[in-house]
Amino acid sequence: MQYLPILQHPDSRLRVKATTVESFDEKLANQADKMLATMYNANGIGLAGTQVDFHRRLIVVDVSESRDGPITLVNPEILLIGETVSSEEGCLSIPGVHDTVKRSDRINISAKSIDGSTLEMEAEGMLAICVQHECDHLDGILFIDHLSSLKRKRINEKLKRAPES
């Protein structure tokens, strides 16, 4: 399986708002498969289309310890229903950076599956947090955007000083 290149902050393509998926075809299924393989290869728990320069509303997640519980969500919409909790987040597009972000610990998700069928589910804990993080990517939002301007400035300065990998 060919892995997709993951865009790195401050790449401006990470700020592109993804468009709605209209066509549920083999191309979309192949893209989702490549995204899952890329996510697993990078030891991630979630990946949004935006992060791999595919600007459609498609995310893949797998928060299972055994790495055998992939979930693909197309055109996801979320409704926050839980309490706000603080948890540490990182991002495949901002390697080496982790910080505390406030998100809802429970959400309702309305989406399409890869074949276009309607999917409704409730998520809690790490899955809820991961889906919110990935949906932010679809809107051009990075987890560091939830931090104070001082923290963002420090992170950006640190990334500018980091050697190219």
Side-chain angles (χ1 to χ4, degrees):
M1 171 69 64
Q2 179 186 3
Y3 301 121
L4 302 167
I6 298 172
L7 301 178
Q8 303 293 302
H9 174 66
D11 193 311
S12 63
R13 294 172 290 178
L14 288 168
R15 299 302 188 167
V16 174
K17 188 169 180 172
T19 59
T20 302
V21 171
E22 303 285 345
S23 183
F24 296 83
D25 55 14
E26 189 175 329
K27 182 179 176 187
L28 182 67
N30 288 337
Q31 180 69 22
D33 288 344
K34 288 178 186 175
M35 286 173 59
L36 278 166
T38 300
M39 177 191 75
Y40 288 130
N41 183 61
N43 294 317
I45 61 170
L47 190 66
T50 304
Q51 291 177 273
V52 292
D53 206 19
F54 180 77
H55 301 284
R56 302 287 183 273
R57 297 189 73 78
L58 171 66
I59 67 172
V60 296
V61 298
D62 187 348
V63 298
S64 68
E65 285 188 35
S66 54
R67 312 295 282 158
D68 63 354
I71 300 171
T72 301
L73 300 172
V74 183
N75 300 332
E77 296 180 20
I78 56 176
L79 174 65
L80 308 178
I81 58 174
E83 300 295 319
T84 300
V85 295
S86 296
S87 64
E88 186 173 290
E89 291 188 24
C91 182
L92 294 175
S93 291
I94 314 173
V97 175
H98 297 85
D99 213 314
T100 303
V101 176
K102 291 181 180 182
R103 297 202 189 263
S104 181
D105 68 346
R106 264 182 49 232
I107 60 173
N108 280 334
I109 305 164
S110 176
K112 298 287 185 182
S113 66
I114 202 68
D115 66 5
S117 59
T118 299
L119 177 66
E120 303 280 340
M121 64 187 279
E122 185 174 310
E124 60 185 19
M126 182 60 73
L127 179 58
I129 289 166
C130 184
V131 169
Q132 290 169 80
H133 176 110
E134 300 310 328
C135 284
D136 272 358
H137 275 298
L138 298 179
D139 292 324
I141 299 168
L142 301 174
F143 88 93
I144 59 173
D145 296 337
H146 293 281
L147 305 176
S148 70
S149 59
L150 178 60
K151 281 189 175 184
R152 277 194 313 276
K153 182 179 178 184
R154 286 181 180 160
I155 289 168
N156 287 327
E157 288 172 357
K158 176 185 172 186
L159 292 172
K160 285 179 187 174
R161 290 191 308 266
E164 293 288 323
S165 49

